[in-house]
Amino acid sequence: PVTLTVDGTNFIEGGLGSVVRWNGVNLATQYVSPTQLTATLTEVNIGSSGTAAVTVFNPAPGGGTSAEQQFTVISPVPTTTTISPTTVTAGSSAFTLTVNGTNFIRNSVVQWNGSDRVTTYHSATQFTAVITAADILSSSTAVVTVFNPTPGGGGSNPQMLNVPWPPPIVP
């Protein structure tokens, strides 16, 4: 978790006090003073790149929602360390590829020879991706990377997946 500090005026203490909101959703908020609140950001809040609207809500009577401040989550550049499997026989059926590394975020995507594949986030260090039978129809060496979107982000270092022809069948 990350602590977000919000400075402003007219913050209210107590159970029905001021609440920090992230894109309109209440965050666990701690009152510090009439001019400062803190809130806890989780991976759900900052696990994807993009921009969020941060506001403070004071309940009735009076109250209301403050003007929003923009909070930008910048993607790190991902790094791949291993893939599994590392070899798949040409002409095989579709399979699930596991990609391990660092700096993966929820909206990262696994790329196969530069093209996005259906990707499932497991953690900041692991993804799986669906590789279709059409991807491995013939012998080749596939380049596997992970791409993190902007702001920030970019492409990872490559991992190579060998796709050899099956061994000949000897009569």
Side-chain angles (χ1 to χ4, degrees):
V2 173
T3 300
L4 173 67
T5 300
V6 178
D7 294 317
T9 59
N10 301 320
F11 297 152
I12 302 168
E13 185 175 16
L16 295 176
S18 300
V19 177
V20 176
R21 291 182 170 172
W22 181 269
N23 288 329
V25 176
N26 291 354
L27 296 176
T29 303
Q30 296 75 42
Y31 175 88
V32 177
S33 74
T35 60
Q36 190 173 79
L37 301 171
T38 60
T40 303
L41 299 175
T42 66
E43 184 181 344
V44 171
N45 305 118
I46 57 174
S48 299
S49 64
T51 303
V54 176
T55 57
V56 174
F57 175 77
N58 281 352
T65 303
S66 71
E68 68 180 46
Q69 297 295 316
Q70 296 297 309
F71 186 102
T72 302
V73 179
I74 298 173
S75 299
V77 176
T79 301
T80 60
T81 54
T82 62
I83 59 172
S84 178
T86 57
T87 301
V88 175
T89 303
S92 297
S93 57
F95 69 97
T96 299
L97 176 70
T98 300
V99 181
N100 297 299
T102 58
N103 295 328
F104 297 167
I105 59 174
R106 291 189 179 279
N107 55 348
S108 299
V109 65
V110 173
Q111 294 185 327
W112 177 270
N113 292 327
S115 296
D116 294 355
R117 292 296 175 261
V118 175
T119 302
T120 302
Y121 174 88
H122 294 282
S123 71
T125 60
Q126 188 175 79
F127 273 105
T128 54
V130 176
I131 306 303
T132 67
D135 290 329
I136 55 172
L137 278 178
S138 60
S139 177
S140 65
T141 299
V143 178
V144 176
T145 56
V146 172
F147 182 80
N148 283 357
T150 59
S156 72
N157 58 303
Q159 298 291 322
M160 303 303 181
L161 190 137
N162 189 25
V163 184
W165 288 113
I169 298 173
V170 179

